[in-house]
Structures are given as C-alpha cells and as structure tokens.
Amino acid sequence: MQMTKPRINVGIIGTGWCGGIRAVAAAASPWVSDFHIAEIKEERLKEIAALTTPVTATTDYRVLVENPSIDAVMISTTPEPTHYPIAKESLLAGKHVFLEKPIAMELHEADELIALARSKKLAFTIGYSQRFNPKFALVKRSIED
C-alpha cells in the first residue's frame, strides 16, 4: 500500500522579492493543494498571479486570514511593523505561520505570538534565509578554528 503525502492549503501574504520566491515555490510544491496570494501592490499581484495561478489573488490579506480552508500562511510583508499584527490575526484564525524576520518590533509582542501559537498548538516559525548562505558557514568555521 502506497502512502500519500498530506497536502495543505497555503496563503502567501506579501509577494515582494522574498515573498515572490516563496510564492513560486509554494505554487509548484507537491505538498500544496490550494494556493492563495495577497499583495497590496496591484501590479505585483498581477505579475505573481500570472506566474502561480492562485485560487485567490487579493490586495487584502484579511481575505486569506478569514478563509477557513487555508491551513498555513507565509507572511513576507513590509514594512516590518506589520509582522506582529498580521501574524497575530493569522494565529487567532487557526493558521500555521511562517513569518519573515523580524518576529515583532517589541519583545512582549514576540512573546505573545509564541504563547499564542503554543496555546493553539500551531506551527510558528521565523524565516531566516541567511542561515543557509555559504559565507556564514565559512565565518562559523573560521571562528571555531
């Protein structure tokens, strides 16, 4: 008997440079069933929608947060002060959250998001793509040597 991999419905909130990369990757992923995007810049929204053919393409992120069929969101918005409120709304709506750094502007906000995710048993992680940059591995090795 062959096991099938679980598929989830994913929303990307913010499709700038980093969010656009994540949107293209998520849309092509065999683990993603329905794919949705939110982007405040209409021209960028159309550009990413043309590349990814999402189920939903909207300028209002709340459309994704309020959609009960979406299991998880990736938040790649700017400006950075939007991270905390959008992540909080998403967690309160029962979504798993991948949030680009920074987690929040204030430590108490970060603590609140972590506690909220734990209380609702939701996956919550912060994106830090630079950890995979080879130059940081070199620096780490140099420090250890």
Side-chain angles (χ1 to χ4, degrees):
M1 180 168 116
Q2 183 177 353
M3 299 286 291
T4 59
K5 293 181 180 175
R7 296 180 64 178
I8 62 170
N9 297 331
V10 174
I12 307 288
I13 300 173
T15 62
W17 178 75
C18 193
I21 292 168
R22 296 199 190 288
V24 170
S29 173
W31 296 299
V32 174
S33 183
D34 291 346
F35 173 71
H36 309 260
I37 59 172
E39 169 58 54
I40 60 171
K41 295 179 180 173
E42 289 190 28
E43 185 174 309
R44 181 64 173 171
L45 178 68
K46 289 176 186 172
E47 178 185 351
I48 296 299
L51 290 171
T52 61
T53 55
V55 173
T56 304
T58 180
T59 56
D60 185 356
Y61 76 90
R62 289 178 185 91
V63 171
L64 304 190
V65 171
E66 295 168 1
N67 182 335
S69 75
I70 296 176
D71 303 301
V73 293
M74 294 184 202
I75 302 169
S76 296
T77 62
T78 53
E80 293 167 347
T82 64
H83 289 198
Y84 163 75
I86 295 173
K88 182 176 179 180
E89 288 177 55
S90 299
L91 291 166
L92 287 170
K95 313 282 186 231
H96 301 286
V97 173
F98 175 97
L99 177 63
E100 289 296 340
K101 64 178 179 10
I103 186 172
M105 302 308 290
E106 300 288 335
L107 182 58
H108 70 90
E109 294 171 337
D111 290 340
E112 181 184 353
L113 292 176
I114 293 165
L116 183 57
R118 285 182 177 153
S119 73
K120 293 181 139 303
K121 297 182 177 17
L122 294 167
F124 177 55
T125 191
I126 304 304
Y128 186 66
S129 58
Q130 292 302 309
R131 75 179 80 171
F132 303 111
N133 188 322
K135 69 182 173 185
F136 291 108
L138 178 62
V139 169
K140 180 179 185 287
R141 187 175 44 185
S142 296
I143 291 169
E144 290 171 346
D145 290 348

